[in-house]
Amino acid sequence: MTQSERKDIRNIAVIAHVDHGKTTLVDAMLRQSGLIRANAEIQDRVLDSGDLERERGITILAKNTAIQYGNTRINILDTPGHHDFGGEVERTLVMADGVLLLVDAAEGPLPQTRFVLEKALELGLSAIVAINKIDRKDAQPQQTLEEVYDLFIDLGATDEGIDFPVLFTNGRAGVAHLELNDDSNDLRPLFDTILKHVPAPEDRTDSPLRLHVNNLGWDEYVGRLIIGRVHDGALEQGQNVFVHGADGVPKPGKIMRLYGFSGLQREEIDHAACGDIIAIAGIEHVFIGDTVSAAKETPALPRIHVDEPTLAMNFRVNTSPFAGQEGRYVTSRNIRDRLDRESKANVAIRVEETDSPDIFRVIGRGELQLGVFVETMRREGFELMLSRPEVVTRRDGEKLFEPQERLLVDCPQEMIGVVSELLGPRKGRLLEMNPTGDRAKLVYQIPTRGLIGFNGEFMTETRGLGVMHTHFDGWIPWQGPIAARRTGAIVADRVGRATPYALFHLQPRGTLFVDPNTQVYEGMVVGEHARDNDIDVNICREKKLTNHRAAGKDDAVVIAPPRKMTLEQSIEFIADDELIEVTPSTIRLRKRILPSNQRPRSVAARNRAEEKALTAI
């Protein structure tokens, strides 16, 4: 017996590498669906509603919207493109029946393109391919399409999977073409292709209710929102339900409000059925991956599985001399509660206790993901300290394994030698080299450890002309020691304020991080030494005033602007014996051990311990 379908719904996820135009295309889809007036003044990338998303120009959190095209409602799921936020992609794809894969017509498939497509194929989702940004001067749509076919074959797609429909799009202009030279001037070819090739959800309305919790939201009036897809059955406002959590024990709850999605708004509805993507208010104790059912005995849906996180950082209570002066939430209890909330709402982050009640080990996908999380915390008023990132390792019998990344570098051809010199000591292994015009694409395999702190050095050595993308590429045997930062630190040796006189005379020693009159303390890192050793300096030194040296004689000192370290730059910069002090208004670097007379003995002891550990490995 053939299962009937809900022909009035389509659920599609938009997936792509970062900056290939997903959110811009969704903007055009919303406008042309009539849900946003043509003359309405709205910001670009309207779904990137978070402050950090708009500042950085990337999608961080997956979001959903819906449009009406004829008699069909198309639920659109917008996903992040950066590999650090891959957990958002994996849990969002569970709600979709098909994917719209965007590929930049000039850049072609990149590492995250492979990742998101691989996840879609694993779930058996049908794909529509859109070669986007065809208006670029360097666009090569036909060559890009050939590369997409090669990618599908490489990922083991079936014959049906490779027979995907292709569109050529310009998301900014809101145009889609079935053929490159046709006369289309809107997105109707895209909407028609979605209706034709994305399967309608099966109509299992008569089955027992099962709703998968794929996302959590918050509303100022009704509190926590559950966002998910109704996989089986139907539900309505006021209905009593049960929540099947990770412990397997059903917990009772009640649906107080029920919402559907239309454009940028939530609309209150009375009931929803199989295939709908909805939001529920009224159930507090629920987490991502849970199943909502109408009866205790209804079996739960499989929990959402995501790839294991590979990078860890220690989050600590701030113990610097300036602790508690700028933050609202500074205690270990505040930090623990915030980390617990994040781990329950973000399936790609894990939090582990350590031997110290004031230190928490946070494991995530990458430096950007952890950096964005910390930036969110500091904007919420938290004050804490961070350690240098370290990779998560696995042990199989006597062998130790570490994560590996596939690194794609796009740089001018004359800089190939520079990039090779940078990656050699970091255990990078060249797999491919593809010259295109005056640039070249290099593909490497490199231990994740080798990429910690690499981006800043890469951008400096390529003078900002290089572009790099990474993608998790499995586990490899431990590759031995990898060279870390090649420069030392300039460290303040006392409490006080930095003086122009001291800064002027320290400039030849390296690059400074602080302005005149910045408050410093003993053990605070105030600059990068030009050599490979640390130096302790008196950055508060003032000029001695005598009859021969008047106060105003050296007023015209010239001080170079300091390098203002962002959070991501700080995470890349610090060494193992250093920490980042993060407050709502300041980011400082410091030594783990502040007194200078205790630090040399500590470094020597740590070096001996590292040598012993490497020998054991």
Side-chain angles (χ1 to χ4, degrees), residues 361-433:
R361 180 176 164 88
V362 181
I363 307 174
R365 284 286 182 88
E367 293 176 47
L368 179 60
Q369 183 199 26
L370 294 173
V372 165
F373 175 40
V374 174
E375 181 65 29
T376 302
M377 289 182 65
R378 72 183 288 240
R379 294 188 182 199
E380 293 172 356
F382 283 85
E383 186 174 303
L384 68 156
M385 294 192 304
L386 308 173
S387 70
R388 185 173 189 267
E390 58 185 26
V391 297
V392 178
T393 57
R394 290 179 174 179
R395 193 172 284 278
D396 184 4
E398 296 298 321
K399 288 187 177 181
L400 185 68
F401 290 84
E402 63 175 320
Q404 176 178 251
E405 304 281 333
R406 182 177 291 259
L407 169 67
L408 186 146
V409 174
D410 186 340
C411 66
Q413 289 201 31
E414 63 268 19
M415 293 180 178
I416 293 176
V418 174
V419 173
S420 300
E421 289 180 9
L422 290 176
L423 292 172
R426 294 172 176 269
K427 309 288 187 182
R429 185 164 61 91
L430 181 64
L431 300 180
E432 299 176 24
M433 182 187 300

Side-chain angles (χ1 to χ4, degrees), residues 7-12 14 22-36 65-77 99-100 102 128-130 165-171 173-178 182 184-200 263:
K7 297 292 188 181
D8 60 330
I9 291 179
R10 297 293 188 276
N11 296 319
I12 187 167
V14 186
K22 300 178 304 299
T23 308
T24 302
L25 181 64
V26 173
D27 279 0
M29 296 172 75
L30 288 169
R31 285 188 182 277
Q32 294 190 23
S33 68
L35 292 171
I36 299 176
T65 183
I67 63 174
Q68 192 74 25
Y69 183 66
N71 296 322
T72 305
R73 185 170 73 256
I74 302 176
N75 290 312
I76 302 170
L77 308 164
V99 295
L100 174 61
L102 264 68
I128 298 171
V129 173
V166 179
L167 296 118
F168 300 92
T169 60
N170 178 354
V175 177
H177 305 275
L178 293 174
D182 67 29
S184 172
N185 58 5
D186 57 24
L187 291 177
R188 276 181 290 184
L190 172 60
F191 293 138
D192 293 335
T193 303
I194 290 174
L195 264 58
K196 182 178 180 181
H197 291 278
V198 175

Side-chain angles (χ1 to χ4, degrees), residues 48-361:
D48 285 347
S49 53
D51 291 340
L52 284 174
E53 291 178 315
R54 303 207 61 78
E55 290 172 16
R56 296 167 184 261
I58 59 173
T59 300
I60 295 173
L61 300 176
K63 303 174 187 68
N64 60 292
T65 183
I67 63 174
Q68 192 74 25
Y69 183 66
N71 296 322
T72 305
R73 185 170 73 256
I74 302 176
N75 290 312
I76 302 170
L77 308 164
D78 185 24
T79 64
H82 196 284
H83 78 285
D84 279 17
F85 307 107
E88 296 285 316
V89 177
E90 291 165 294
R91 64 180 173 82
T92 301
L93 289 179
V94 179
M95 292 193 284
D97 296 306
V99 295
L100 174 61
L101 176 67
L102 264 68
V103 183
D104 190 298
E107 296 181 1
L110 291 176
Q112 184 69 3
T113 314
R114 169 182 287 269
F115 170 78
V116 294
L117 179 59
E118 183 178 18
K119 294 301 176 185
L121 294 177
E122 286 177 1
L123 293 171
L125 301 178
S126 60
I128 298 171
V129 173
I131 308 300
N132 196 31
K133 300 188 180 182
I134 56 174
D135 57 319
R136 287 183 57 161
K137 292 181 180 178
D138 54 349
Q140 298 176 310
Q142 293 297 345
Q143 179 180 330
T144 298
L145 181 57
E146 292 299 322
E147 294 175 0
V148 173
Y149 278 116
D150 292 341
L151 178 59
F152 271 78
I153 294 171
D154 189 34
L155 293 177
T158 63
D159 292 341
E160 293 80 7
I162 295 176
D163 188 23
F164 50 79
V166 179
L167 296 118
F168 300 92
T169 60
N170 178 354
R172 188 169 296 278
V175 177
H177 305 275
L178 293 174
E179 300 290 341
L180 265 176
N181 299 318
D182 67 29
D183 58 355
S184 172
N185 58 5
D186 57 24
L187 291 177
R188 276 181 290 184
L190 172 60
F191 293 138
D192 293 335
T193 303
I194 290 174
L195 264 58
K196 182 178 180 181
H197 291 278
V198 175
E202 293 182 0
D203 189 358
R204 298 190 294 269
T205 307
D206 295 333
S207 303
L209 168 66
R210 289 196 302 179
L211 178 142
H212 219 176
V213 180
N214 297 90
N215 202 354
L216 298 174
W218 180 263
D219 186 276
E220 294 181 0
Y221 299 101
V222 297
R224 171 169 284 194
L225 292 172
I226 299 170
I227 300 171
R229 171 174 170 168
V230 184
H231 278 259
D232 303 284
L235 69 166
E236 57 186 21
Q237 280 202 40
Q239 181 176 343
N240 293 316
V241 293
F242 292 89
V243 178
H244 301 258
D247 57 3
V249 179
K251 299 176 180 64
K254 186 173 183 178
I255 299 173
M256 305 303 296
R257 292 285 189 278
L258 190 60
Y259 300 96
F261 294 92
S262 178
L264 306 179
Q265 307 296 325
R266 290 195 307 268
E267 296 181 342
E268 190 166 346
I269 56 178
D270 295 326
H271 65 276
C274 175
D276 287 328
I277 295 176
I278 59 170
I280 295 173
I283 305 175
E284 292 296 324
H285 303 289
V286 63
F287 306 106
I288 289 175
D290 291 355
T291 299
V292 177
S293 70
K296 283 185 179 181
E297 57 274 11
T298 302
L301 292 162
R303 297 196 69 80
I304 298 172
H305 171 75
V306 300
D307 288 343
E308 290 293 311
T310 56
L311 209 63
M313 292 176 67
N314 287 337
F315 286 42
R316 299 163 168 250
V317 172
N318 189 7
T319 58
S320 85
F322 299 161
Q325 295 182 8
E326 300 171 2
R328 293 175 55 200
Y329 308 109
V330 299
T331 66
S332 60
R333 180 181 60 82
N334 295 143
I335 296 173
R336 178 186 285 107
D337 291 346
R338 181 64 180 87
L339 294 178
D340 286 344
R341 292 201 309 272
E342 186 67 21
S343 65
K344 291 171 181 176
N346 189 338
V347 292
I349 280 185
R350 291 207 315 260
V351 179
E352 298 176 353
E353 298 283 347
T354 65
D355 295 336
S356 171
D358 293 338
I359 302 176
F360 309 94
R361 180 176 164 88

